[in-house]
């Protein structure tokens, strides 16, 4: 199956619609990542209208002229299936299992064997028929039950703990680092350079913001209320670094993909904001370590 095929649209909409928390008019994302991305996907597919708390079902769906990115839709489905315990990843044969993240009853029967088979550097997994159907429609599972070749780079953006993946040493990742480092669009380079520049004025403004918050709490609850200690210069700098790293991540979440590298603003308009993307974070670290080697905390 080619990634340009659109046979996946109906199965994807059906799976998303049926597996997110519902309201009388649509879906509630409960501020959980998989549900937030799922709601965003339904909006991008013309099935819903975005709200602060989720999405409202359109009375008449309006399919967009250009569909959202196939790889982003794949991540939305994988995340939701895993969130709903309808997809679980299994350790590679001979590997040590990580700490089990799923709680099982003491007398529960052992899990069934994997029904998605390893291939292309990806490990085995276990899924129900509903999930198998939509993953097959997306071209992630072949007729033989193995992960397909095109599934490999999609799952680089998930990196299940059970598989102990090390994508940063792969020659394709290293080549992508060079391309990303050498081809940063001018508008993004300006944003990055501003974010890594923490000035005295930035620190003083952060201290004032923090102190104003303390005064607001005292005014609301009284002078004796126990609140945070006054902000120091050192703490303000560390806080700013943390928040700036998050903002740098968002640049990569929105404007970078492994296949194309940096997206144009037009391409980015059809991307989902996959904001827990370990591959994008790894690329941010690699690029920032080369771009600003004297500021190592932005490559953490």
């Amino acid at each position: 199956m080619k990634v340009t095929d659109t046979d996946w649209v109906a199965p994807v909409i059906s799976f998303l619609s049926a597996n997110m928390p519902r309201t009388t008019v649509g879906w509630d994302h409960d501020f959980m990542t998989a549900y937030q991305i799922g709601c965003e996907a339904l909006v991008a597919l013309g099935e819903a209208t975005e709200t602060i708390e989720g999405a409202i079902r359109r009375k008449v769906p309006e399919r967009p002229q250009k569909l959202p990115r196939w790889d982003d839709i794949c991540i939305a489905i994988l995340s939701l299936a895993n969130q709903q315990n309808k997809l679980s990843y299994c350790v590679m044969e001979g590997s040590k299992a990580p700490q089990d993240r799923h709680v099982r009853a003491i007398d529960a029967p052992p899990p069934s064997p994997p029904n998605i088979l390893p291939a292309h550097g990806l490990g085995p997994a276990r899924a129900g028929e509903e999930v198998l159907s939509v993953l097959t429609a997306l071209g992630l599972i072949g007729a033989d039950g193995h992960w397909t070749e095109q599934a490999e780079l999609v799952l680089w953006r998930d990196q299940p703990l059970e598989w102990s993946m090390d994508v940063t040493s792969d020659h394709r990742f290293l080549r992508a680092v060079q391309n990303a480092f050498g081809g940063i669009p001018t508008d993004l380079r300006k944003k990055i350079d501003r974010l890594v520049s923490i000035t005295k004025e930035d620190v003083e403004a952060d201290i004032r913001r923090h102190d104003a918050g303390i005064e607001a709490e005292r005014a609301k609850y009284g002078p004796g209320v126990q609140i945070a200690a006054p902000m120091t210069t050192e703490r303000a700098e560390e806080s700013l670094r943390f928040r700036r790293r998050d903002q740098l991540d968002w640049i990569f979440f929105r404007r970078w993909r492994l296949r194309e590298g940096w997206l144009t603003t037009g391409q980015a308009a059809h991307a989902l904001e996959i904001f827990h993307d370990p591959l994008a974070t790894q690329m941010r670290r690699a690029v920032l370590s080369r771009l600003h080697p004297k500021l190592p905390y932005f490559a953490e």
Side-chain angles (χ1 to χ4, degrees):
M1 173 183 172
K2 297 179 180 179
V3 298
T4 53
D5 291 345
T6 58
D7 292 344
W8 52 263
V9 174
V12 161
I13 290 172
S14 176
F15 184 82
L16 292 172
S17 300
N19 284 280
M20 290 192 298
R22 300 185 191 183
T23 68
T24 56
V25 294
W27 302 270
D28 189 335
H29 57 49
D30 287 339
F31 294 96
M32 298 185 69
T33 300
Y35 300 150
Q36 288 174 300
I37 296 172
C39 285
E40 184 185 359
L42 285 176
V43 171
L45 288 165
E47 286 291 310
T49 301
E50 183 182 12
T51 68
I52 294 176
E53 297 178 342
I56 297 175
R57 186 189 301 273
R58 284 178 178 264
K59 292 182 179 179
V60 180
E62 185 176 337
R63 201 69 65 237
Q65 290 185 345
K66 186 175 178 61
L67 290 169
R69 292 179 60 95
W70 166 84
D71 54 341
D72 288 358
I73 290 292
C74 289
I75 294 298
I77 293 295
L78 291 167
S79 298
L80 182 58
N82 191 248
Q83 173 70 38
Q84 297 293 67
N85 292 327
K86 294 185 175 183
L87 170 68
S88 57
Y89 301 107
C90 309
V91 296
M92 299 275 203
E93 186 175 352
S95 299
K96 182 179 179 181
Q99 184 176 356
D100 197 340
R101 292 174 290 170
H102 302 289
V103 177
R104 295 191 185 93
I106 294 176
D107 57 350
S112 58
N115 55 358
I116 303 176
L117 304 177
H120 306 289
L122 305 177
R126 185 183 303 109
E129 288 300 321
E130 180 188 20
V131 175
L132 290 174
S133 177
V134 70
L135 294 184
T136 300
L138 283 164
L140 298 181
I141 303 174
D144 59 359
H146 290 79
W147 293 111
T148 61
E149 183 177 359
Q150 64 189 20
E152 180 187 10
L153 298 186
V154 169
L155 280 150
W156 276 20
R157 298 176 65 187
D158 194 350
Q159 299 184 28
L161 293 176
E162 291 82 355
W163 296 351
S164 302
M165 300 177 77
D166 178 20
V167 306
T168 59
S169 61
D170 189 284
H171 68 93
R172 291 165 293 181
F173 180 85
L174 297 174
R175 183 171 63 246
V177 171
Q178 293 301 322
N179 293 337
F181 171 64
I184 304 175
T186 302
D187 63 323
L188 297 185
R189 179 61 190 265
K190 289 180 179 178
K191 289 180 181 179
I192 290 171
D193 288 347
R194 174 63 187 97
L195 287 171
V196 301
S197 175
I198 297 178
T199 65
K200 179 182 178 181
E201 289 74 20
D202 291 334
V203 173
E204 291 174 347
D206 198 63
I207 292 174
R208 288 195 299 272
R209 179 195 58 79
H210 179 83
D211 291 347
I214 290 178
E215 291 306 314
E217 292 293 297
R218 284 176 175 160
K220 184 175 182 180
Y221 298 108
V225 66
Q226 291 186 346
I227 49 181
M231 180 66 74
T232 64
T233 298
E234 292 75 16
R235 286 177 56 212
E237 288 177 347
E238 182 57 35
S239 176
L240 282 166
R241 289 172 184 171
F242 178 83
R243 299 202 303 274
R244 297 285 179 89
R245 278 197 300 269
D246 182 67
Q247 291 174 275
L248 288 166
D249 271 340
W250 272 98
I251 289 176
F252 285 80
F253 295 156
R254 289 176 171 139
R255 293 287 300 274
W256 179 86
R257 295 292 185 272
L258 185 68
R259 187 173 63 185
E260 296 91 346
W262 295 109
L263 305 180
T264 65
T265 53
Q267 290 172 323
H270 302 289
L272 301 184
E273 293 188 346
I274 310 293
F275 53 89
H276 284 168
D277 184 339
L279 182 63
T281 297
Q282 289 163 334
M283 184 57 60
R284 184 265 300 167
R285 291 169 178 160
V287 170
L288 266 293
S289 69
R290 290 161 175 77
L291 197 62
H292 292 284
K294 294 183 179 180
L295 303 173
Y297 31 82
F298 290 115
E300 294 176 356

